[in-house]
Amino acid sequence: MSEREEHSNHVVPLAHPSLPPQPSGSSGHKNRSEIWEHFIPIEGIEKYARCKNCNGQIKYAGGTSAMRQHWKRCFDLNNEQSKRQRIEGGTSGLISSPSVTKFDQAVSRSILTEMFVTEELAFRFVERNVFRRLLHSLQPKFKIPSRTTLARDILSFYETEKMKLQSYLSHNCQKVCLTTDTWTTSSQNLTYISLTTHFIDNDWKLQKRILNFCRVEGHSGEVLGRAIEDDDWTYAESILPFLKIFYDATLRISGSLYVTSNKYMKEVFSIGRKIKLHCENTDLSIRLMASKMQRKYDKYWETPNVINMLLLIAIVLDPCHKLDFVNWILDESFGVEKGGELKSKLSTCLNSLYNHYQGKEDESQSNQDAMINEEDEDDILNIYLQSTGRDSDAKSELDRYLKEDCEPRNKSAELDILG
C-alpha cells in the first residue's frame, strides 16, 4: 500500500495542538472520525481524501490511520515553518524564546570537527559537493572549512581534549595502572598499540581513559616499552637541568645554619642570566618555558628602583665579592645606563650606612667648631694628605676594605652545604 502526497508552498497554522481521538463508533458510519475535520473526500477517486492544509492526497482504504499520521506530520511541519517565518519577519517574542537557538559559527565548526573525529571521516569528505550543499541548506550562514583548515581544527581539538584529560587525572586520581593492547591490521600488516590508564576516582568508581594510540614496529617487550615511554619522559629529562637551577638556588638561600643575606641577590641575578640564555635554546619546549619565566622574572626585577639596596650591600660586605663584583652584575643585568644609576645609588647608601654606624652623622656643629679652633699646622698637613689620597692611614675603614683583594671562595664548603 502506497501513499501519494502533493504539497503546496502555502502554509496555514493549525489550530489543534494534539491529535484528535480515535473514533468511538462502529466502522459502518462513514466520515464519523474527527480527523475528517481536516480532510475532504476526493470525488471520482475511491478511498482518497485531500488534506485541507497542504492539499496532499491520502488513501484511507484500511481506516483513518494514514490520515492521522499525515495530519501529525503536517501539523508539526506547519508550525515549524510558521515560527521560522515569524522570526524572519522580526517578531520579538519568538526571537527571545528559549526554543530558538542563535547561530554560532564557532560552535557549529566545533561540532563539525567532533563529527569527523567520532565518525572517522576522511578530511576530503568536507569538500564533497553534496555535503557542502547539505550544510548550506541547513544553515546558509555557516562558513564551511576546507580540509586543510579541518585538519588544523582536529589537531587543536586533540590538544584541548588532552589538556582536559590531564586536568581530570590530576584532580581525580593519585595512582594509575597502565595496560596495553596491540594488534596487527590484516590489510596492511601494520602493528598498533593502545595505552590505557585505569584508576579509582574521588567517588571510588573504577575509571579508564585511553592515553595514546600509535603505530609500533613489533610486539616485543622492548618495542612496547619504548612506545609507552609518551615523548613526555624525554621532555621531562630535557627540562631537568633547567629546573635544577631553581632547586639548587632554593637550597642555598633557605639554609638555617649559615648566613644567607649575601647570597639572595646573587642567586636572583644568576637565575635571571640563565633564563635569558635558555630563551635562545634550540629545544622549542625549553625555549617556550624560558620565555614565560622571563616575563615573570621581569615583573619583579626589571625595574631597578624596586631593588632593596641592603640586599646589594650584603653582597658588598661578603669578602669573596665586594663592590667590583656587584658593579659588574648591575651592568650585566640592567645595562650601562640603568646599571650606572644603581651603582651610584649603591655607593651613596653604602657610605651613608657606614657613617651612620660610625656616629659621624650625629656630630654637632659645636664639635666641628671646636676642632677648627684646636687645629695646628700638623692638622693642616693631615688634611692635605687625606684630600690628595697620599696618606693611606687617613682613609676610612670602608675604603680600605673595598680596596683589599677579595678572599678566595671555598667551593667545597658550598657543596657541603648543599648536601
Side-chain angles (χ1 to χ4, degrees):
M1 182 180 296
S2 62
E3 297 183 359
R4 289 189 295 117
E5 300 184 13
E6 297 178 359
H7 301 281
S8 66
N9 294 329
H10 180 66
V11 178
V12 179
L14 298 181
H16 299 283
S18 60
L19 290 173
Q22 295 285 348
S24 57
S26 64
S27 60
H29 295 170
K30 295 182 179 180
N31 300 352
R32 187 169 185 174
S33 173
E34 293 182 4
I35 194 65
W36 284 104
E37 295 179 4
H38 308 287
F39 291 87
I40 301 175
I42 300 178
E43 296 181 1
I45 305 179
E46 187 179 0
K47 300 294 184 180
Y48 270 89
R50 185 185 303 278
C51 176
K52 293 181 179 180
N53 182 65
C54 68
N55 291 326
Q57 297 181 9
I58 305 298
K59 188 173 184 179
Y60 59 92
T64 59
S65 299
M67 298 166 64
R68 289 176 178 277
Q69 294 175 2
H70 172 86
W71 188 87
K72 183 178 184 303
R73 292 195 303 269
C74 194
F75 172 81
D76 294 339
L77 178 62
N78 184 83
N79 283 283
E80 183 64 25
Q81 292 178 348
S82 298
K83 287 182 180 180
R84 187 179 300 117
Q85 290 175 356
R86 279 182 286 175
I87 290 174
E88 294 175 353
T91 305
S92 59
L94 285 176
I95 291 177
S96 60
S97 173
S99 63
V100 180
T101 304
K102 184 178 179 181
F103 170 68
D104 190 316
Q105 171 71 21
V107 173
S108 299
R109 186 166 161 179
S110 176
I111 295 174
L112 179 67
T113 302
E114 186 176 353
M115 182 192 77
F116 269 76
V117 173
T118 56
E119 300 303 321
E120 300 180 3
L121 298 176
F123 293 163
R124 63 177 179 272
F125 186 80
V126 77
E127 296 181 346
R128 295 281 180 86
N129 185 45
V130 176
F131 182 69
R132 298 178 78 87
R133 285 167 50 198
L134 171 64
L135 295 181
H136 182 74
S137 67
L138 296 175
Q139 178 50 262
K141 296 181 180 179
F142 180 59
K143 297 179 181 179
I144 306 174
S146 66
R147 59 180 176 180
T148 304
T149 303
L150 178 64
R152 288 198 299 265
D153 289 348
I154 290 179
L155 289 177
S156 177
F157 177 72
Y158 166 77
E159 293 296 335
T160 301
E161 292 300 314
K162 181 179 179 180
M163 288 189 292
K164 287 182 181 179
L165 179 58
Q166 290 174 343
S167 176
Y168 177 81
L169 292 176
S170 64
H171 291 90
N172 289 274
C173 67
Q174 298 295 330
K175 295 183 179 180
V176 299
C177 178
L178 300 179
T179 60
T180 61
D181 187 17
T182 58
W183 68 94
T184 302
T185 60
S186 57
S187 59
Q188 298 176 320
N189 196 30
L190 299 177
T191 303
Y192 293 88
I193 181 174
S194 171
L195 180 64
T196 306
T197 178
H198 306 260
F199 59 93
I200 304 295
D201 64 11
N202 295 335
D203 296 325
W204 290 92
K205 294 181 179 180
L206 180 62
Q207 302 283 354
K208 66 177 182 179
R209 297 289 189 276
I210 296 179
L211 297 181
N212 200 357
F213 176 85
C214 61
R215 179 185 170 188
V216 292
E217 299 300 327
H219 293 267
S220 66
E222 183 180 356
V223 172
L224 298 182
R226 287 200 304 267
I228 295 175
E229 286 180 357
D230 294 350
D231 296 333
D232 289 339
W233 292 109
T234 303
Y235 173 71
E237 290 179 353
S238 67
I239 66 173
L240 275 179
F242 187 31
L243 297 179
K244 191 175 186 298
I245 298 172
F246 301 91
Y247 175 77
D248 291 342
T250 302
L251 290 182
R252 282 191 285 263
I253 64 178
S254 302
S256 59
L257 302 178
Y258 53 91
V259 178
T260 59
S261 58
N262 61 317
K263 299 179 180 294
Y264 185 83
M265 286 306 298
K266 186 178 67 171
E267 295 294 341
V268 169
F269 289 131
S270 177
I271 288 175
R273 184 173 181 274
K274 292 174 181 177
I275 290 177
K276 187 178 297 184
L277 293 175
H278 280 293
C279 286
E280 305 298 329
N281 198 296
T282 55
D283 191 319
L284 177 60
S285 58
I286 295 180
R287 189 164 67 248
L288 293 176
M289 181 186 297
S291 298
K292 293 179 181 179
M293 289 184 176
Q294 183 69 59
R295 291 193 293 270
K296 194 74 170 180
Y297 181 88
D298 291 341
K299 178 180 178 181
Y300 294 97
W301 302 108
E302 186 179 26
T303 306
N305 296 332
V306 302
I307 296 180
N308 191 333
M309 288 294 108
L310 291 179
L311 295 176
L312 296 178
I313 291 176
I315 305 178
V316 174
L317 298 181
D318 184 346
C320 297
H321 300 99
K322 298 192 177 180
L323 187 60
D324 288 342
F325 173 73
V326 178
N327 288 338
W328 178 82
I329 284 182
L330 296 179
D331 287 337
E332 285 286 316
S333 301
F334 299 100
V336 177
E337 183 177 354
K338 291 183 178 180
E341 295 176 2
L342 272 176
K343 289 190 289 185
S344 177
K345 185 178 180 180
L346 172 62
S347 179
T348 301
C349 291
L350 186 61
N351 284 284
S352 176
L353 187 64
Y354 174 77
N355 292 334
H356 174 75
Y357 281 97
Q358 287 294 315
K360 292 184 179 182
E361 293 182 349
D362 297 330
E363 291 179 350
S364 63
Q365 184 66 33
S366 59
N367 291 337
Q368 294 179 8
D369 294 340
M371 291 176 61
I372 293 175
N373 294 332
E374 296 176 359
E375 199 175 79
D376 54 21
E377 59 181 11
D378 291 333
D379 294 327
I380 295 176
L381 179 60
N382 291 332
I383 293 173
Y384 164 74
L385 294 175
Q386 182 177 356
S387 62
T388 57
R390 297 186 178 183
D391 186 4
S392 60
D393 294 335
K395 294 180 180 179
S396 67
E397 185 179 357
L398 176 61
D399 293 332
R400 292 197 299 270
Y401 166 77
L402 296 178
K403 291 296 182 182
E404 293 174 353
D405 294 334
C406 295
E407 295 183 3
R409 284 196 310 147
N410 190 347
K411 186 66 176 179
S412 60
E414 293 185 4
L415 295 176
D416 291 340
I417 290 174
L418 293 177

